[in-house]
Amino acid sequence: MTPPIVIPFRPVDPKKRLKAIMSQEEREGFARAMLSDVIETVIDAGCTPVLLTTQEIANIDARVRVIVLNLGLNEALDAFRKEQDGPFGIVMADLALCNTKSLMQLAHTSAAFGIVPGTGGGTNAIYIKDGSAFKAQYYGFSFLKHLTWAKEQGYSIEIIDSFRLSTDIDEPDDLVEVLIHTERNTAAYLNQIGFVLCAEEGRVHVKRI
Amino acid sequence: MTPPIVIPFRPVDPKKRLKAIMSQEEREGFARAMLSDVIETVIDAGCTPVLLTTQEIANIDARVRVIVLNLGLNEALDAFRKEQDGPFGIVMADLALCNTKSLMQLAHTSAAFGIVPGTGGGTNAIYIKDGSAFKAQYYGFSFLKHLTWAKEQGYSIEIIDSFRLSTDIDEPDDLVEVLIHTERNTAAYLNQIGFVLCAEEGRVHVKRI
């Protein structure tokens, strides 16, 4: 059976590292576009999406279970896991490049603990067989902290090697990855607000037209 | 049979985007450390490494075939492929995170053309069955250019999804990935010249001690 996949989400004033190139309204629209791609992928992978949001949001797919908890990420996940008695996954809402294949690799791991690093030391996705035991330690060295914790528990561990799942979209240059590697809601949203790819001195960036 | 793997290399004044944090001598030592990790991985994957270098370098593993061609990357690869009548791979010398599993996925693809994107639109690795036909188009939008070219040739294509192969080490923050995800020559070299991980405001960087 496929596990539920928790997607933590903050709908208001998200993606602050894009402030220099997007208004708050645009950042909120962009975060929603990424969320919709992640939700669709979770459903396509045969899993149940659980949206763990800091506040109610409109127009969410009826197949999504919504939990509103106005808490920090670690605190919200800690409150969630206490109610679980089976496995679950956690997938960040900004994995705009995620696809069914990479997500199924996580959801169908034979290990007791699956983890996908994010660039810069973060944790982009987790699978935990013994859900109620999970201890969320996001921010900073979270990949190493989660990995150390899983080793201490004696879990079998799979570190999933996926560019698509390891790419979280935080910085202006990360938009390059969206425009090159996807054609879904997130890329459509970027096109709609005028972002295009450009090459300068052999390197690729985005610009606004 | 496993294909030869070409590793293009520029030994003098490499990795210019690390100038702010490393001397030229250090950048040269760092590039050599990454090269040695890539060569070892290619050998462990059962493939023959072919070092395509802009000038002679000392102390190269005897199992490596060395070709000296003082040309630009695209021109050197073009000269190389004209001599080939079988498949070969191309792996960038700065893929410090590469491991046997990810490299074997490339070398054993059943497609006529395998490609690994780099972050920022680049191409980190290629496998081409019909080696003599290859047209190198590195720099700028090289991933999209190589992909478009392969489609135009009518090749079957596999885009390999690997964080380890998609991570090339160019910028100071990329050193974080080396120190978190490897314990080989490259990480040892960084430790030796004093780089360590540090977390600031929930994000991970490197600093020099």
Side-chain angles (χ1 to χ4, degrees):
Chain A
M1 212 187 86
T2 54
I5 303 282
V6 183
I7 308 164
F9 189 64
R10 177 177 296 279
V12 177
D13 200 16
K15 294 287 142 203
K16 293 196 176 65
R17 281 143 72 186
L18 297 175
K19 268 188 176 177
I21 60 167
M22 284 188 202
S23 69
Q24 179 175 337
E25 189 186 343
E26 286 168 345
R27 285 184 283 117
E28 291 174 359
F30 181 60
R32 272 301 295 267
M34 292 200 285
L35 176 67
S36 67
D37 284 336
V38 172
I39 287 174
E40 273 180 34
T41 311
V42 167
I43 292 172
D44 289 347
C47 300
T48 306
V50 179
L51 181 65
L52 190 58
T53 176
T54 51
Q55 43 192 283
E56 289 283 357
I57 48 179
N59 303 318
I60 286 294
D61 188 302
R63 291 167 293 182
V64 179
R65 181 179 158 208
V66 178
I67 301 175
V68 180
L69 278 177
N70 191 10
L71 294 171
L73 177 57
N74 289 324
E75 295 73 22
L77 285 167
D78 199 48
F80 172 81
R81 63 94 184 161
K82 284 180 183 159
E83 309 296 319
Q84 302 305 305
D85 57 4
F88 65 89
I90 305 165
V91 171
M92 292 296 110
D94 64 351
L95 305 190
L97 270 54
C98 72
N99 63 7
T100 312
K101 187 180 171 191
S102 57
L103 209 63
M104 287 181 84
Q105 207 185 336
L106 177 78
H108 292 280
T109 179
S110 58
F113 186 78
I115 185 164
V116 182
T119 48
T123 304
N124 281 4
I126 275 178
Y127 164 87
I128 176 141
K129 195 171 176 184
D130 180 11
S132 65
F134 182 60
K135 187 166 178 294
Q137 298 176 81
Y138 284 88
Y139 304 116
F141 290 97
S142 75
F143 173 70
L144 292 177
K145 284 191 249 174
H146 287 135
L147 197 60
T148 302
W149 174 82
K151 283 177 186 168
E152 285 167 1
Q153 305 300 304
Y155 292 150
S156 57
I157 297 170
E158 184 182 9
I159 300 172
I160 289 147
D161 180 25
S162 165
F163 168 65
R164 289 190 165 275
L165 290 185
S166 284
T167 305
D168 39 336
I169 308 300
D170 288 315
E171 308 272 356
D173 271 350
D174 297 335
L175 305 186
V176 169
E177 311 307 339
V178 174
L179 292 176
I180 287 184
H181 298 289
T182 82
E183 292 178 338
R184 299 185 301 175
N185 297 313
T186 311
Y189 185 83
L190 288 179
N191 287 327
Q192 183 194 318
I193 63 173
F195 282 99
V196 294
L197 293 167
C198 66
E200 277 174 4
E201 297 174 6
R203 294 169 61 188
V204 178
H205 301 281
V206 290
K207 67 175 180 184
R208 219 158 163 171
I209 52 171
Chain B
M1 211 186 87
T2 54
I5 302 282
V6 183
I7 309 163
F9 189 64
R10 177 177 297 278
V12 177
D13 201 15
K15 294 286 142 204
K16 293 198 177 63
R17 281 143 71 187
L18 297 176
K19 268 189 176 176
I21 59 166
M22 282 187 205
S23 69
Q24 180 176 336
E25 189 187 344
E26 286 168 345
R27 285 184 284 115
E28 291 174 359
F30 180 61
R32 273 300 295 266
M34 291 199 287
L35 175 67
S36 68
D37 284 337
V38 172
I39 286 175
E40 273 180 32
T41 311
V42 168
I43 291 171
D44 288 347
C47 300
T48 305
V50 179
L51 181 65
L52 190 59
T53 176
T54 52
Q55 41 192 285
E56 289 282 358
I57 48 178
N59 303 318
I60 286 292
D61 188 304
R63 292 166 292 184
V64 179
R65 182 180 158 208
V66 178
I67 301 175
V68 180
L69 278 177
N70 192 9
L71 294 171
L73 177 56
N74 290 323
E75 296 72 22
L77 285 167
D78 199 47
F80 172 81
R81 63 95 184 163
K82 285 180 182 158
E83 308 297 317
Q84 302 306 305
D85 57 3
F88 66 88
I90 304 166
V91 171
M92 292 296 110
D94 64 350
L95 305 190
L97 270 53
C98 72
N99 63 8
T100 313
K101 187 180 171 191
S102 57
L103 210 63
M104 288 181 83
Q105 206 184 338
L106 177 77
H108 292 279
T109 179
S110 57
F113 187 79
I115 186 164
V116 183
T119 48
T123 304
N124 281 5
I126 274 179
Y127 164 88
I128 175 140
K129 196 171 176 183
D130 181 11
S132 65
F134 182 60
K135 188 167 179 292
Q137 299 176 80
Y138 283 87
Y139 303 116
F141 290 97
S142 76
F143 173 71
L144 292 176
K145 285 191 249 173
H146 287 136
L147 197 61
T148 302
W149 174 82
K151 283 177 187 168
E152 284 167 2
Q153 305 301 304
Y155 291 150
S156 57
I157 296 170
E158 184 182 8
I159 300 172
I160 289 148
D161 180 25
S162 165
F163 168 65
R164 289 190 164 274
L165 291 184
S166 284
T167 304
D168 40 336
I169 309 299
D170 289 314
E171 309 272 356
D173 271 351
D174 297 335
L175 306 186
V176 169
E177 311 306 339
V178 174
L179 292 176
I180 287 184
H181 298 289
T182 82
E183 292 178 338
R184 299 185 301 176
N185 297 312
T186 311
Y189 186 83
L190 288 179
N191 287 326
Q192 184 194 317
I193 61 173
F195 282 100
V196 294
L197 294 167
C198 66
E200 278 173 4
E201 295 173 8
R203 294 169 61 190
V204 178
H205 301 282
V206 290
K207 68 176 180 184
R208 221 158 163 172
I209 49 171

